[in-house]
Amino acid sequence: MAEAERIIGTPDTPDAAGDGQERPEDAAAGERADSEGTRPAGESGTGEPEPAAAPPRGKRRIAVLFAVASFAYALDLITKMIVVAKLEHHPPIEIIGDWLKFEAIRNAGAAFGFGEAFTVIFTMIAAAVIVVIARLARKLYSLPWALALGLLLGGALGNLTDRIFRAPGVFEGAVVDFIAPKHFAVFNLADSAIVCGGILIVLLSFKGLDPDGTVHKD
């Protein structure tokens, strides 16, 4: 009889055994939970660092804008330095016969030699364009617009540098031009960047694409 009561009073269910006491497996599970809950930020469950979040799309477009502008500006500046050092006061260099020559010209006017009497005004316009582009970059989310504005910014900076630092004086300096096609005005790479950027902006406007990436459909 005592043996039967002993058997009946010892249930097989795990909850009944050791009532109020923590089992070894429960303690181990709690330690695992605490360990996972207090895992350092930036680490995955496997102990490896989690990949960093990608930069916002707007910042990538701004980076493209300034990269294109820097490339256009540097290329224009380098070519002008070479032209002044090697070509100025020398005979023109024929590239494609009479159809294309390299000839150093000092231009006090706007792009392609227009408006030589308004050098200061063109300098102010170039400076205003740079300010407008810098302000517009804050809401730039379109890659084509980033390319267009980058070309425009690089070209404007290139010619503005000449206006400020070349003779005859500050804000009145003459721009160095050297690309001379037949029956056309002499120009430089900054002029080319400005024209290409302007054409691209016109095309994007016709397509209804805004700098913030919004598309307007008529």
Side-chain angles (χ1 to χ4, degrees):
M1 185 65 178
E3 184 68 19
E5 289 178 352
R6 185 182 65 81
I7 295 174
I8 296 174
T10 308
D12 294 331
T13 57
D15 293 335
D19 187 24
Q21 299 180 357
E22 185 180 17
R23 296 188 303 277
E25 58 268 27
D26 292 338
E31 291 177 359
R32 288 196 300 271
D34 292 341
S35 176
E36 293 176 357
T38 58
R39 185 172 63 243
E43 291 188 2
S44 61
T46 59
E48 297 179 356
E50 295 180 353
R57 188 161 61 101
K59 291 185 178 180
R60 293 199 298 268
R61 301 298 184 259
I62 294 174
V64 170
L65 186 156
F66 286 108
V68 172
S70 299
F71 177 77
Y73 176 70
L75 192 61
D76 177 70
L77 187 63
I78 292 171
T79 54
K80 287 176 178 175
M81 293 174 62
I82 295 174
V83 167
V84 171
K86 302 295 185 180
L87 190 57
E88 200 167 33
H89 309 303
H90 290 80
I93 299 176
E94 293 186 353
I95 305 302
I96 309 177
D98 291 337
W99 291 99
L100 180 63
K101 299 179 181 181
F102 284 168
E103 181 179 5
I105 300 292
R106 295 292 182 120
N107 172 25
F112 307 108
F114 298 115
E116 294 186 3
F118 304 98
T119 305
V120 176
I121 295 177
F122 292 134
T123 303
M124 296 174 62
I125 292 174
V129 168
I130 294 171
V131 173
V132 170
I133 293 175
R135 291 176 62 87
L136 189 61
R138 295 181 299 176
K139 56 178 182 179
L140 183 64
Y141 289 91
S142 169
L143 179 59
W145 269 95
L147 296 174
L149 293 177
L151 289 171
L152 198 62
L153 179 60
L157 284 171
N159 283 340
L160 184 62
T161 301
D162 284 356
R163 302 289 187 196
I164 296 175
F165 296 105
R166 296 193 186 277
V170 179
F171 300 123
E172 296 181 353
V175 174
V176 176
D177 292 334
F178 63 95
I179 304 173
K182 188 177 182 179
H183 305 309
F184 196 73
V186 184
F187 60 97
N188 55 42
L189 295 183
D191 297 332
S192 302
I194 291 171
V195 171
C196 292
I199 293 174
L200 184 54
I201 288 174
V202 171
L203 293 177
L204 294 174
S205 299
F206 273 118
K207 292 182 63 176
L209 180 62
D210 290 343
D212 62 357
T214 303
V215 178
H216 299 284
K217 295 182 179 179
D218 296 334

